[in-house]
Amino acid sequence: MSSDATKGDRIRELMATEGDAVAENTRGFNEGRIESTGRLDGYEELKADARDIKEDAIGRLPELIERVRESVEANGGTVYVADDAADANRYITELTAEECDADRLVKSKSMTSEEIEVNEALEAEGVEVVETDLGEWVLQLADEAPSHIVAPAIHKSREGISELFAERFDLDDPPETAEELTMFARERLGELVEDADVGMTGANFIAADSGTMLLVTSEGNARKSVTATDTHVAVAGVEKIVPTVEEFAPFVELIGRSGTGQDVTSYISTLTPPVDSPVPDFQADDEPLADGSGDDRDFHLVLIDNGRMAMREDEQLKETLYCIRCSACSNACGNFQSVGGHAFGGETYSGGIATGWEAGIEGLDTAAEFNDLCTGCSRCVPACPVDIDIPWINTVVRDRINRGEADPSQTDWMFEELVPDEEPAGLDLSTRIVGNYETLAKLGSLTAPVANRLTDAGPVRAIVERVAGIDRRRDLPEFASEPLVDWFEARGGAAVPRDEAAREAVLYPDTATNYVDVDRGKAAVRALEALDVHVRVPDLPGSGRPPLSQGMIATAESAAEDVYAGLAAHVDADRDVVVIEPSDLAMFRSEYEKFLPEASHERLAEASYDVMEYVFGLLENGGDPAALRAPAEGTGPVAAGKRVAYHPHCQGRTIGVSEHATAVMEALGYDVRVSDTECCGMAGSFGYKEDYYELSMDVGEPIREQFGDTDRTVVAAGTSCTEQIDALLGDAPMHPVELVAPRE
């Protein structure tokens, strides 16, 4: 690719060349994870145990490093703690090339060895390095980097591998089927392993009390690398240490299920090296192995710091060290499914967790190259077997990138005066515009419909695309001339008197509902009042979701404080807080934990409800379903028929509220078909950006495939989902509350 190619060009190239293979494999892994963990008793308890073990181990890491040193040395091995990649490679090359005088080293799969680029260091000293993992060997032959933490060649098709083998080995009749390709590789690699001098592995976990290593592989190649050679070098990050062998247990249950959907990974090996099996002599076929000796075996454990101890002291990045490298965050991610790790990744690591790893190991510049591909949709959060808050890590790094790149000389002073926020002067203009969407929405509403006509004009869209990076192919929101708050006040406030009401609730006027999609706000008021709720719609600030999505943490925190100040009196008065936009409810229940005092966050989180969750609760507690709108035959301006196609919001799924809409609709007699895909691809502002437009649409393609020719009424809970489905299907869906609310 030319040096002036944009990020969007690179994404489009990878979507065209690797996207189909990545999508097929990652979606298969993700479906397998859901099925496998669904069969596992006590899954959430196992996740909690795994997180506790990692949290404890990282907290005690200096102590555990010394303990593992004592254990390995007592077993007859050697431990070397390397400060960085150069230090590790110096030790390994001196051992291999000089002390062992090795001609060939065989390796099992190890992301840590990829991180330190040990292959290149060894080859520079004349040592041939052979990857024994099939995927890694394919990439070695192709001279390519891994695109996935667990399945490094996931972007390669079977046909592509066949062509590669034909080219590299000058084959007239290359293997074609998966079985033929595997057998060909096994035979070639078997010959190379037999003549190797040194074997190298990684380590999934290391027990400090005994020096025992847990190795999890799909092909058993780690065992071959260890037993076929007399010198074993294990390379592992210091974060791989846990106190005891007993603590391997939850990880054995979780790692395969999380990564590839396997109940148990093909090969699970526990080794306490140096192993005591005799070293085989492959040339003496008639000599029993038992006649050899294991006393000649040599073992070296190279523990890598390379920024990890600094990450341990960084409260925002520390959770990255809990990662067990399972790749669940990659497989669950809509963007990763479309482009893979060659776009959504850095020097070594890929997927959602890669931002934390690359920021801690390589630096912010590397993380900045792909950090925007995390949209904060939160699909990865329930997938992670150790409950790492991956979106928050990505947001923190985005904030640091923003502050590191701030240029006070940038000529955006006029915009700063227009929308003052808590961020440094010179913050990227596009970031600041998107992060201050609430201010733009207020201005748009005040000047509608003129603003709507202007923003739809071709010349204006061209300028917006050039200045703010908003793709001109996207329809921009049309602002309402009368915000929801003003409409509610003009109608005279609540229609259900307080002393006659079953409940009292504050309907939170989120930015999108208040200034753009006012009709869903009106529908929410009608639905709640039909169920005898005294409704209030106070004038409240935005939740801070747009600035948070841009990594503008200080501005988001300020918004959280303002929202809580506006809602505290209502919570004190035992009023329920009802939220229409799922991403705003996720702020209240999740992200506000980072911004508010613990007691304040808990009070607001416990008092807040998704609007359909609230309707469900009212019906469950005696509300009259007849007060709401049941299915009607034929079509109408608001709702149509009995059959519904429902796409839940990704963050609504994560916080566990999306199923309430399904339950309410079914209780009223609707036939509901729920979307199979977890993310529509729009993800707030992400789908508006010029570099990501095609990717956003590609992520949403499964929705088009499922609902594109449906005769069902399409409903979706989130603003972003509504906009994306409109673009995908050519018809804007309604919010579920619009479906069930009584007509005006």
Side-chain angles (χ1 to χ4, degrees), residues 224-243:
K224 294 178 185 177
S225 300
V226 170
T227 57
T229 59
D230 60 10
T231 302
H232 173 198
V233 180
V235 178
V238 292
E239 83 284 356
K240 298 297 187 69
I241 305 172
V242 296

Side-chain angles (χ1 to χ4, degrees), residues 27-39 43 47 256-262 328-329 331-332 379-380 382-385 678:
R27 288 172 184 168
F29 288 159
N30 196 47
E31 290 168 6
R33 171 187 62 81
I34 294 168
E35 293 173 4
S36 181
T37 57
R39 294 191 298 267
Y43 173 53
K47 288 172 62 177
R257 287 182 165 90
S258 300
T260 58
Q262 296 170 280
C329 59
N331 300 334
R379 287 173 62 169
C380 57
C384 177
E678 294 177 66

Side-chain angles (χ1 to χ4, degrees), residues 554-635:
T555 299
E557 182 173 15
S558 177
E561 292 168 351
D562 290 344
V563 168
Y564 184 75
L567 286 172
H570 296 291
V571 175
D572 288 342
D574 291 327
R575 296 174 190 132
D576 304 314
V577 178
V578 178
V579 185
I580 297 172
E581 177 60 47
S583 62
D584 289 300
L585 181 63
M587 289 287 285
F588 293 177
R589 291 192 179 177
S590 180
E591 283 87 356
Y592 275 18
E593 182 180 11
K594 309 288 195 308
F595 302 141
L596 299 177
E598 182 178 359
S600 300
H601 167 253
E602 288 180 355
R603 290 178 68 241
L604 180 57
E606 291 171 1
S608 300
Y609 302 87
D610 172 75
V611 64
M612 296 305 289
E613 175 188 25
Y614 195 68
V615 168
F616 174 81
L618 293 170
L619 294 177
E620 287 289 291
N621 287 278
D624 183 7
L628 300 177
R629 183 140 42 98
E633 295 300 325
T635 60

Side-chain angles (χ1 to χ4, degrees), residues 14 28 33 95 129 136 170 231 251 390 403 436 479 484 571 580 625-627 639 670 676 708:
L14 289 170
R33 171 187 62 81
L95 168 69
V129 179
E136 289 283 2
D170 194 22
T231 302
F251 302 107
I390 296 170
R403 294 176 182 279
N436 285 283
F479 300 110
L484 177 67
V571 175
I580 297 172
Y670 292 93
D676 292 334

Side-chain angles (χ1 to χ4, degrees), residues 635-652:
T635 60
V638 179
K642 180 178 181 180
R643 291 155 50 83
V644 171
Y646 170 46
H647 176 69
H649 189 276
C650 51
Q651 285 158 336

Side-chain angles (χ1 to χ4, degrees), residues 52-72:
D52 287 345
I53 291 167
K54 289 294 292 183
E55 188 171 0
D56 172 62
I58 299 304
R60 297 166 52 195
L61 195 50
E63 165 201 338
L64 294 181
I65 291 172
E66 291 310 309
R67 183 73 180 92
V68 83
R69 186 196 301 276
E70 295 170 2
S71 300
V72 170

Side-chain angles (χ1 to χ4, degrees), residues 136-148:
E136 289 283 2
W137 187 56
V138 166
L139 296 185
Q140 188 176 30
L141 294 174
D143 193 25
E144 293 180 12
S147 63
H148 189 272

Side-chain angles (χ1 to χ4, degrees), residues 21-238:
V22 171
E24 180 181 357
N25 286 295
T26 51
R27 288 172 184 168
F29 288 159
N30 196 47
E31 290 168 6
R33 171 187 62 81
I34 294 168
E35 293 173 4
S36 181
T37 57
R39 294 191 298 267
L40 180 61
D41 292 336
Y43 173 53
E44 294 299 330
E45 290 78 5
L46 274 172
K47 288 172 62 177
D49 289 345
R51 182 181 173 88
D52 287 345
I53 291 167
K54 289 294 292 183
E55 188 171 0
D56 172 62
I58 299 304
R60 297 166 52 195
L61 195 50
E63 165 201 338
L64 294 181
I65 291 172
E66 291 310 309
R67 183 73 180 92
V68 83
R69 186 196 301 276
E70 295 170 2
S71 300
V72 170
E73 290 177 352
N75 295 336
T78 301
V79 173
Y80 185 76
V81 181
D83 292 334
D84 54 26
D87 188 19
N89 288 334
R90 179 193 56 76
Y91 180 86
I92 294 168
T93 54
E94 287 179 1
L95 168 69
T96 305
E98 298 177 19
E99 294 182 32
C100 297
D101 193 24
D103 293 318
R104 178 183 297 152
L105 177 147
V106 290
K107 286 179 61 206
S108 67
K109 185 178 178 303
S110 164
M111 289 304 296
T112 308
S113 71
E114 293 276 356
E115 174 190 322
I116 64 174
E117 298 182 336
V118 71
N119 291 22
E120 293 82 350
L122 286 166
E123 288 165 355
E125 296 299 321
V127 180
E128 179 189 7
V129 179
V130 177
E131 297 283 358
T132 62
D133 175 85
L134 175 57
E136 289 283 2
W137 187 56
V138 166
L139 296 185
Q140 188 176 30
L141 294 174
D143 193 25
E144 293 180 12
S147 63
H148 189 272
I149 289 176
V150 169
I154 198 171
H155 60 288
K156 290 284 190 184
S157 66
R158 187 177 67 252
E159 294 78 14
I161 295 172
S162 178
E163 292 172 6
L164 174 66
F165 285 177
E167 177 185 344
R168 292 304 303 266
F169 299 107
D170 194 22
L171 304 176
D172 293 329
D173 185 23
E176 295 181 352
T177 68
E179 183 178 1
E180 290 172 345
L181 291 167
T182 302
M183 290 304 297
F184 176 85
R186 180 178 298 170
E187 291 173 7
R188 291 277 175 159
L189 288 171
E191 297 168 0
L192 295 170
V193 169
E194 287 184 12
D195 292 332
D197 304 296
V198 177
M200 178 179 285
T201 70
N204 293 90
F205 301 94
I206 306 166
D209 67 334
S210 62
T212 301
M213 297 165 44
L214 178 70
L215 293 169
V216 181
T217 66
S218 298
E219 302 162 17
N221 50 307
R223 296 180 186 178
K224 294 178 185 177
S225 300
V226 170
T227 57
T229 59
D230 60 10
T231 302
H232 173 198
V233 180
V235 178
V238 292

